[in-house]
Amino acid sequence: MARRNDPTHYGLVSRVIHWAMAVLILAMLVLGTKLSHLQPGLANLWLYGLHKTGGFIALTLIVLRLIWHRISPPPGPLGGGWTRQVAIWAHRAIYGLIIAIPLSGWIASSATGLDVMFADTWVVPPIAPVSEAWEHWGFLAHRVLTRTLMAVLVLHVLGAARRAWQGDGTLRRMISG
Amino acid sequence: MFMRNFLALCLILTSAAAMAAPRNYVLQATASNVGFETDFGPDKITGQMPVTQADLSIDFQNIANSKVAVTLDVTGAEASFPFAAQAMKGPKVLDSREFPNITFLSTAVARDGDGATVTGNITIRGVTRPEVLHAVLYRQQGAVAGDLSHLSIRLTGTIARSDFGAIGWNDMVGDQVRLDILAQIQRVE
């Protein structure tokens, strides 16, 4: 089983990163939505830490994925026409959002003045000044970008399902190479 | 802890009847502390803040002649979990970098049962407001009856942090802060 991508197939590394991110992002969307409706207390404080840790893992994975694409370029999308263009732009949007969403969370959390922790153990350096304006706009951006990601992911999944229905091999090559 | 060395103010007053003038006391800093408590969702945040200075003038015959001045060190504050201490000392609550001290200066003292009602000005975040604390004097542990050279003063009260502009995290942390100040003091001879 090839680790590297080739012009028509996804290698093992790209597939593992893709599905790991799919599971992580789905879990983060559920957790983040839950947190936005939660009354914080001692019993659930760890969930906020978990969300931040998940965000850093997502950011790390997308950076690794982009590096890996430089080392081993992925195959281009199958098919043509408008769906090809939609697929290309949906992918670009997903990549951009998966970078922007953790960054906006990191910025907003830094702006609160509280330590941002990874795995409840390591303090991650702040990337924004302690400021209510940065906090406000950072969390607002985090929410808006997340809603956008949800919409684009629906498009992504529907597109993949449509191609699987048509049997063009798009979904299969992301599952079994 | 207080029960063992508890001595009601009236008892101190009785035994001190011979003292005619106000006596001055200063802080024994090592054993002095401010405890506080506030609500955090269904839970409580508790913590302590060191007392850096306490100057008291106590008139055992006429308690209204007494004066209390206390200074607290905000930078040394601790809380029951690390985020709470950081949030409390940060710019959205006490802003310890800008305002490292909290001060209390009494303006009126009145007898109230076994203790006294101390009205005074509290300054937090540079905002000064009148507040009322309840004070009780205790003889320190190990001191013999009638020995007023070393006393403990316990000041309790409640403040609303929003009155002082300390409004950070008010959607999740309570506005009401319950204070329990214990200062060990010794008489200036």
Side-chain angles (χ1 to χ4, degrees), chain A residues 22-38 47 50-51 146-147 149-150 153:
Chain A
V23 171
L24 175 65
I25 288 165
L26 204 61
M28 287 291 280
L29 290 174
V30 172
L31 177 58
T33 306
K34 181 181 165 67
L35 290 180
S36 67
H37 297 101
L38 205 62
L47 289 175
L50 184 67
H51 185 68
T146 301
R147 301 282 194 285
L149 178 66
M150 287 175 176
L153 285 180

Side-chain angles (χ1 to χ4, degrees), chain B residues 111-147:
Chain B
R111 175 81 80 88
D112 178 14
D114 284 349
T117 299
V118 183
T119 307
N121 291 319
I122 293 185
T123 303
I124 299 173
R125 280 181 72 102
V127 177
T128 303
R129 282 183 54 88
E131 300 282 352
V132 177
L133 300 176
H134 182 70
V136 181
L137 280 170
Y138 301 89
R139 195 178 70 225
Q140 287 186 11
Q141 195 167 10
V144 297
D147 175 10

Side-chain angles (χ1 to χ4, degrees), chain B residues 2-188:
Chain B
F2 293 113
M3 294 311 292
R4 278 181 294 161
N5 61 351
F6 174 78
L7 188 65
L9 185 63
C10 55
L11 184 53
I12 290 181
L13 292 176
T14 309
S15 59
M19 296 181 180
R23 303 300 303 261
N24 293 324
Y25 286 82
V26 293
L27 181 74
Q28 297 171 270
T30 48
S32 300
N33 208 351
V34 172
F36 58 85
E37 182 188 272
T38 190
D39 298 315
F40 175 51
D43 308 304
K44 299 210 182 308
I45 297 172
T46 57
Q48 309 88 39
M49 201 175 287
V51 183
T52 40
Q53 202 175 341
D55 294 307
L56 297 96
S57 170
I58 303 172
D59 188 332
F60 293 96
Q61 280 200 313
N62 181 7
I63 201 71
N65 277 341
S66 302
K67 290 190 176 71
V68 180
V70 181
T71 303
L72 313 179
D73 173 19
V74 181
T75 59
E78 292 173 355
S80 46
F81 58 99
F83 283 130
Q86 205 172 24
M88 179 178 63
K89 290 191 272 188
K92 288 164 67 174
V93 186
L94 295 179
D95 197 359
S96 65
R97 197 171 291 179
E98 197 71 25
F99 306 104
N101 294 319
I102 288 177
T103 58
F104 176 76
L105 202 59
S106 69
T107 53
V109 180
R111 175 81 80 88
D112 178 14
D114 284 349
T117 299
V118 183
T119 307
N121 291 319
I122 293 185
T123 303
I124 299 173
R125 280 181 72 102
V127 177
T128 303
R129 282 183 54 88
E131 300 282 352
V132 177
L133 300 176
H134 182 70
V136 181
L137 280 170
Y138 301 89
R139 195 178 70 225
Q140 287 186 11
Q141 195 167 10
V144 297
D147 175 10
L148 302 180
S149 63
H150 291 78
L151 297 174
S152 300
I153 181 168
R154 187 180 183 197
L155 293 155
T156 51
T158 300
I159 59 166
R161 63 192 179 99
S162 59
D163 287 346
F164 301 89
I167 52 172
W169 289 278
N170 57 3
D171 54 336
M172 54 183 90
V173 179
D175 186 38
Q176 193 187 68
V177 181
R178 297 171 287 277
L179 300 173
D180 190 342
I181 304 171
L182 178 67
Q184 310 277 17
I185 52 174
Q186 73 180 42
R187 194 169 59 207
V188 180

